Amino acid sequence: MIWVVAGFIVGLFIPYTARRFAKFMPATFAGAVVEIFRPGRKTRAYRRTALYKSFVWHSVLCALLTAGMTWAAQEHFGTFGFGFTAAYLWVVVLLAEIDYRTYFLPDILTVPLLILGFAAASMDMGWVSVAESAAGAVAGYFLPVLASLLIVWHKKDAFGGGDIKMLAALGAWLGTEGLLYVIALAAASGIVYALCRRQKAIAFGPMIALAGIVVAFWLF
């Protein structure tokens, strides 16, 4: 129950954190913490606007979804090493929200996510072995780079640097096999989303995040 409550609180602040990242995009983790907890100035007039009310409802919905996902994860994966599992889920959701708003995946979140995945594997609290974690991280970096080289003449920005680092981070958690499933699922969902929205360019981070969560539940 404690993890579910924690998931609700984290989810409640995910849209706010993503919004703050969109405004200042911190270069360091310390700078991010300072800016996130810096009190904002909201006038009474703004609090009455439809935009503000929409943001509040979005935060509540995100909190409910994160709490539900945390509960499902605890039921599925068990309580052993669940701190690592919760961190994986929460950071992935936060990255999805930030990329959706900014089309940017910050290194101060993707790099720690990779390190945390390798640490979980090292302490035997992750889903894969240390060797699989390392191989997955390497594959997550080089496979998109190779794919980009093959299609660079058609579309130079097929993969952003943030997308590659996020895939490397997920590879550290899911291993090479899990990473391949993530890439396939993310690509398929991205194509469907782009066709439905009739957009040529989309934020790929949310697709990677969704695939990373689905594959984790399905594969482990």
Side-chain angles (χ1 to χ4, degrees):
M1 187 63 182
I2 295 177
W3 284 111
V4 176
V5 174
F8 182 88
I9 296 172
V10 169
L12 195 64
F13 282 93
I14 281 177
Y16 167 79
T17 304
R19 191 175 182 182
R20 299 288 286 181
F21 267 67
K23 290 183 177 180
F24 61 86
M25 197 54 66
T28 64
F29 186 79
V33 172
V34 170
E35 289 295 336
I36 288 171
F37 288 98
R38 189 192 300 274
R41 296 179 180 179
K42 299 290 188 300
T43 63
R44 290 185 178 181
Y46 173 73
R47 293 180 187 276
R48 295 172 182 171
T49 62
L51 180 62
Y52 178 75
K53 292 178 181 179
S54 175
F55 174 74
V56 171
W57 279 112
H58 178 63
S59 300
V60 172
L61 179 60
C62 187
L64 292 173
L65 290 175
T66 306
M69 181 180 62
T70 303
W71 173 81
Q74 192 169 17
E75 291 293 313
H76 181 79
F77 297 108
T79 57
F80 179 74
F82 189 73
F84 284 105
T85 302
Y88 169 82
L89 296 173
W90 297 344
V91 174
V92 165
V93 173
L94 176 57
L95 283 167
E97 182 76 14
I98 291 174
D99 194 42
Y100 180 76
R101 285 180 172 271
T102 67
Y103 285 76
F104 186 77
L105 292 165
D107 292 351
I108 61 172
L109 290 177
T110 55
V111 174
L113 182 63
L114 187 154
I115 295 173
L116 197 61
F118 189 74
S122 300
M123 290 185 277
D124 200 25
M125 292 185 179
W127 301 314
V128 297
S129 66
V130 176
E132 290 172 327
S133 177
V138 173
Y141 184 82
F142 283 104
L143 287 179
V145 170
L146 293 175
S148 297
L149 291 175
L150 293 175
I151 59 178
V152 67
W153 298 110
H154 175 66
K155 186 173 176 58
K156 294 183 178 180
D157 298 324
F159 288 99
D163 297 329
I164 293 173
K165 291 172 185 175
M166 186 172 179
L167 286 170
L170 295 193
W173 283 90
L174 306 174
T176 305
E177 181 184 0
L179 176 71
L180 294 176
Y181 289 128
V182 167
I183 294 175
L185 182 57
S189 58
I191 292 171
V192 171
Y193 180 82
L195 291 175
C196 291
R197 297 293 297 269
R198 297 181 180 179
Q199 293 178 243
K200 292 184 178 180
I202 62 170
F204 198 48
M207 309 305 162
I208 298 174
L210 176 62
I213 294 171
V214 170
V215 169
F217 274 90
W218 173 67
L219 198 60
F220 301 105

